[in-house]
Amino acid sequence: QQQVKQSPQSLIVQKGGISIINCAYENTAFDYFPWYQQFPGKGPALLIAIRPDVSEKKEGRFTISFNKSAKQFSLHIMDSQPGDSATYFCAASSLDTGGFKTIFGAGTRLFVKA
Amino acid sequence: DTGVSQNPRHKITKRGQNVTFRCDPISEHNRLYWYRQTLGQGPEFLTYFQNEAQLEKSRLLSDRFSAERPKGSFSTLEIQRTEQGDSAMYLCASSVRENEQFFGPGTRLTVL
């Protein structure tokens, strides 16, 4: 019940295309859903996050779509660029119980072809 | 650089040796987290400090692992009697609020 399942494992997108990464969770106590971007040799960096009281959040080229009833959320990267090539992790935590135990998905390696 | 720093960045050790890693969080952050990340996987939560108090430990943190955060500033993670299965990236993160965690670059441990 603590798992966050992420797909696909890897993704190749043409420059200018849309990258879509999906995640699903089971624990209905989760109430905070961040996405992290990780480049080789670096720690993860917070990209964008959403709480379940909204269905969509957009920041620049990055959009989170959230479906509370399906317990699914996704990251859309519009106009994907080669510099977006990285590993992306979805995650979930419960702020009501402290929020410190963040559960991460297994990651999606994105490669944007120039 | 005012981000989270971790030292050393790389550590190679022989099985059975003890190792210690250090994390220096962002200065005003009172919350500090340790994670372990293996190849091809997301970070796995190990432990959490609020100021100097260790409030949560994962089942992953066996009795060979110990973490401290004296005076609520930097933190150390020690692994005793290392095993090959301990080989991983050890990540530290800090935050001032529960949700916005800032990660360091990690310490890559290789146990031979």
Side-chain angles (χ1 to χ4, degrees):
Chain A
Q1 202 181 23
Q2 287 290 322
Q3 277 189 321
V4 175
K5 294 183 180 178
Q6 183 171 347
S7 63
Q9 280 188 317
S10 61
L11 183 61
I12 300 175
V13 173
Q14 286 290 137
K15 178 182 174 182
I18 302 173
S19 304
I20 301 174
I21 304 170
N22 301 299
C23 281
Y25 64 98
E26 297 177 356
N27 188 346
T28 55
F30 289 144
D31 57 8
Y32 178 72
F33 302 91
W35 284 88
Y36 285 84
Q37 179 188 57
Q38 186 175 29
F39 293 104
K42 305 282 189 182
L46 179 64
L47 197 59
I48 185 173
I50 197 168
R51 297 206 65 173
D53 51 347
V54 297
S55 60
E56 186 174 282
K57 183 173 181 180
K58 183 175 181 179
E59 289 184 2
R61 297 185 294 111
F62 301 92
T63 300
I64 300 179
S65 297
F66 186 84
N67 185 331
K68 188 174 181 179
S69 61
K71 292 186 284 186
Q72 294 175 348
F73 57 110
S74 60
L75 176 70
H76 294 231
I77 306 174
M78 313 300 286
D79 187 26
S80 299
Q81 299 296 312
D84 296 330
S85 297
T87 300
Y88 292 81
F89 295 97
C90 62
S93 65
S94 174
L95 295 185
D96 288 342
T97 56
F100 49 81
K101 194 170 182 178
T102 301
I103 308 299
F104 284 80
T108 296
R109 295 186 77 172
L110 170 66
F111 180 69
V112 180
K113 292 167 65 174
Chain B
D1 190 346
T2 57
V4 177
S5 62
Q6 291 187 247
N7 289 288
R9 294 292 310 278
H10 304 273
K11 179 70 177 179
I12 300 174
T13 191
K14 292 183 179 178
R15 187 162 48 98
Q17 298 294 304
N18 299 343
V19 295
T20 300
F21 310 140
R22 176 176 170 130
C23 171
D24 287 89
I26 294 171
S27 59
E28 66 269 24
H29 287 188
N30 62 338
R31 293 171 167 84
L32 187 145
Y33 318 77
W34 284 99
Y35 292 85
R36 182 173 70 185
Q37 185 177 25
T38 53
L39 201 62
Q41 297 298 316
E44 295 174 291
F45 172 82
L46 291 179
T47 191
Y48 162 70
F49 289 85
Q50 187 165 325
N51 299 311
E52 66 274 12
Q54 188 175 19
L55 298 185
E56 180 75 12
K57 289 171 60 173
S58 164
R59 289 191 307 271
L60 294 173
L61 217 63
S62 75
D63 56 5
R64 297 185 296 107
F65 288 69
S66 63
E68 294 183 341
R69 193 184 182 197
K71 302 178 184 177
S73 56
F74 71 92
S75 176
T76 58
L77 177 68
E78 181 184 15
I79 309 174
Q80 295 182 327
R81 306 181 302 281
T82 52
E83 301 173 356
Q84 287 186 323
D86 297 331
S87 295
M89 176 77 82
Y90 290 84
L91 292 163
C92 175
S94 70
S95 72
V96 65
R97 294 186 296 273
E98 293 91 348
N99 49 351
E100 199 166 352
Q101 297 181 27
F102 293 84
F103 282 83
T107 294
R108 180 166 295 284
L109 172 66
T110 301
V111 181
L112 302 176

